[in-house]
Amino acid sequence: LAYTPLLQWRHGKGELVFCQMDITARTATDPAAEILKHNILHYLGSTLEGPGQTLTAVCADEDLRRRIDALGFAADAQPETLHPDRHLAVLDGAVALPDDVRAFIASGGTALVVDAQPAILQSPLFKGLAVEEAVCRSATLPVDLPTLLQGVGPQHLHWREPLTLNRLDCEATTAATLLLDGMLAEVPHGKGRVVLLQLSDQALRDTFGEVFG
């Protein structure tokens, strides 16, 4: 649980709450444990605030869909028509950006590109972005965490073995926002956005083998 005693995880229209603190195995009444238990039960009995998870991840590439499934996440095959209020398009960064996905992003959709490479960066949408191979042991968090990195701490961004990955770089004039020393980027386009994730499952698997996944 990433060194946190309490964890809230939204999923679909509901949520899971993990409590790692010992609030039940007591030989006598413990005021702190009783208060915490009462607060958790009161919270769970209240109405959830904010919208639930409404987007379904979809992939045109079957191999990428299986990789996402192996990570414990659900992804469907990409439908003929993408809808910004229903779908999150997940793309293999080794192929060119399809025209229909670009139109989907411009109309307000969100796309996730896994391990962007030169083929996909040739799209005018990514003008000014480039990749270079780099060896990394850690990544730096910004002082003010954007929404993309909410819940991410330094403990998630240090690895005992160096990772070889394609790190992003950009010109000063580009609209892209680079994060995590080029391991992550956000690119606005029309009413939507593209998130480029270079810290891919494949890079972790190549380094740590069966320990990962």
Side-chain angles (χ1 to χ4, degrees), residues 19-74:
C19 178
Q20 295 299 92
M21 289 181 282
D22 185 2
I23 59 175
T24 58
R26 301 286 170 171
T27 57
T29 301
D30 184 314
E34 289 296 316
I35 291 172
L36 179 59
K37 180 171 65 176
H38 176 271
N39 289 345
I40 292 175
L41 293 175
H42 176 75
Y43 169 77
L44 293 175
S46 61
T47 302
L48 282 176
E49 296 182 0
Q53 178 181 324
T54 57
L55 300 180
T56 300
V58 294
C59 304
D61 183 84
E62 179 60 23
D63 180 64
L64 181 58
R65 193 198 66 77
R66 286 195 295 266
R67 284 166 55 192
I68 293 173
D69 184 69
L71 293 172
F73 298 96

Side-chain angles (χ1 to χ4, degrees), residues 50-152:
Q53 178 181 324
T54 57
L55 300 180
T56 300
V58 294
C59 304
D61 183 84
E62 179 60 23
D63 180 64
L64 181 58
R65 193 198 66 77
R66 286 195 295 266
R67 284 166 55 192
I68 293 173
D69 184 69
L71 293 172
F73 298 96
D76 293 341
Q78 183 173 308
E80 186 174 337
T81 303
L82 290 167
H83 298 277
D85 58 341
R86 290 165 48 192
H87 299 129
L88 166 68
V90 185
L91 309 172
D92 183 349
V95 300
L97 182 69
D99 291 339
D100 61 333
V101 175
R102 184 177 178 182
F104 159 75
I105 299 163
S107 64
T110 297
L112 172 64
V113 175
V114 181
D115 192 13
Q117 297 180 36
I120 200 167
L121 295 181
Q122 291 177 3
S123 168
L125 193 155
F126 302 120
K127 183 179 180 180
L129 276 174
V131 290
E132 61 176 358
E133 187 174 284
V135 177
C136 310
R137 283 185 176 271
S138 63
T140 305
L141 280 172
V143 175
D144 297 319
L145 287 181
T147 304
L148 274 176
L149 296 175
Q150 291 295 321
V152 177

